[in-house]
Amino acid sequence: MREIPGRRRRLLSRRRDGSSEPIGAALAFATEWQWPVLPGVAPDPRRPGRCGCPDPECTVPGAHPFDPGLLAATTDARMVRWWWTNRPAAPIVLATGGRAPCAVSLPALAAARALEALDRVGMRLGPVVASPNRWAILVKPYSLEQLGELLYAKDHVPGSLRFHGEGGYLALPPSATGAGPIHWERAPLPGSASPWVPDVEAVVDAVVEALTRTGVSAPEL
């Protein structure tokens, strides 16, 4: 597959200390893949593991939008460049749904074992986003009605599964959050116009079956 010039340079751009440069990745997501993004709340530098937002009980520290709000997410290069020029360390938050992928996430240990099981049966997956606590499998956009019908048809769905659909969000690499760094567990293939992602039905079916078959415990996190 032909690589589009500049794509790997932006997605993998580095600072002098070797860490990834968020502005390059944010521009690539927005302008090349047409994924609407916006800057998230940074972790509180004075309190490790805590969020910079006003909520002292924030459950996704540094990994959610606040100012601007989620509705400001855009694919406009000028806006994205302005945001990250002024807030260079801000996490990259994807507004899921619409033209952008959605996601299914589960606790990291259960996710790692589920992915191993899916690999053994030849299940094709797209990119997988990982934080220290949870992994998120990117899927095609779905509606609330579609998700409701899917879950209703299941005898059991682990409560630890979370669904990032229309009106939701997900922190993307290379973001630094209060819970730790965000990275690609399964990175997008370089050179594609936009990464391929599977249908949500296929992922939920496969993940639930894998967790059930292997007896993996997925805690309610």
Side-chain angles (χ1 to χ4, degrees):
M1 183 179 293
R2 182 178 65 85
E3 184 169 332
I4 297 175
R7 181 181 303 279
R8 283 185 60 85
R9 176 172 54 79
R10 280 198 289 272
L11 278 176
L12 303 179
S13 59
R14 300 281 175 174
R15 299 189 183 97
R16 290 182 181 180
D17 63 4
S19 60
S20 298
E21 188 72 59
I23 188 172
L27 282 168
F29 297 144
T31 63
E32 296 180 7
W33 295 350
Q34 293 298 295
W35 291 3
V37 297
L38 75 163
V41 181
D44 189 333
R46 300 164 299 177
R47 300 180 298 170
R50 302 291 292 275
C51 191
C53 76
D55 183 1
E57 306 298 327
C58 182
T59 58
V60 283
H64 66 90
F66 176 65
D67 183 16
L70 185 62
L71 292 178
T74 184
T75 59
D76 182 76
R78 292 172 297 177
M79 193 73 246
V80 171
R81 188 176 291 109
W82 186 86
W83 276 333
W84 271 274
T85 297
N86 287 277
R87 299 166 58 182
I92 304 169
V93 175
L94 168 70
T96 54
R99 293 180 299 172
C102 293
V104 176
S105 71
L106 63 163
L109 179 58
R113 294 179 178 174
L115 261 60
E116 290 176 359
L118 299 185
D119 286 342
R120 287 195 295 270
V121 299
M123 171 73 185
R124 183 187 179 191
L125 294 175
V128 177
V129 176
S131 73
N133 298 326
R134 297 187 70 86
W135 292 8
I137 302 170
L138 299 188
V139 298
K140 292 179 182 177
Y142 56 80
S143 67
L144 289 177
E145 292 79 10
Q146 182 182 2
L147 179 63
E149 292 176 0
L150 172 63
L151 299 182
Y152 182 78
K154 294 288 180 188
D155 292 330
H156 172 70
V157 176
S160 57
L161 288 183
R162 293 179 186 168
F163 299 91
H164 309 257
E166 186 74 32
Y169 59 86
L170 183 70
L172 295 176
S175 296
T177 73
I182 307 294
H183 68 274
W184 294 112
E185 179 61 30
R186 301 283 176 90
L189 294 176
S192 58
S194 183
W196 178 88
V197 292
D199 291 326
V200 65
E201 294 94 339
V203 168
V204 172
D205 288 347
V207 167
V208 171
E209 181 181 353
L211 295 178
T212 303
R213 184 174 62 251
T214 59
V216 173
S217 174
E220 305 297 316
L221 295 177

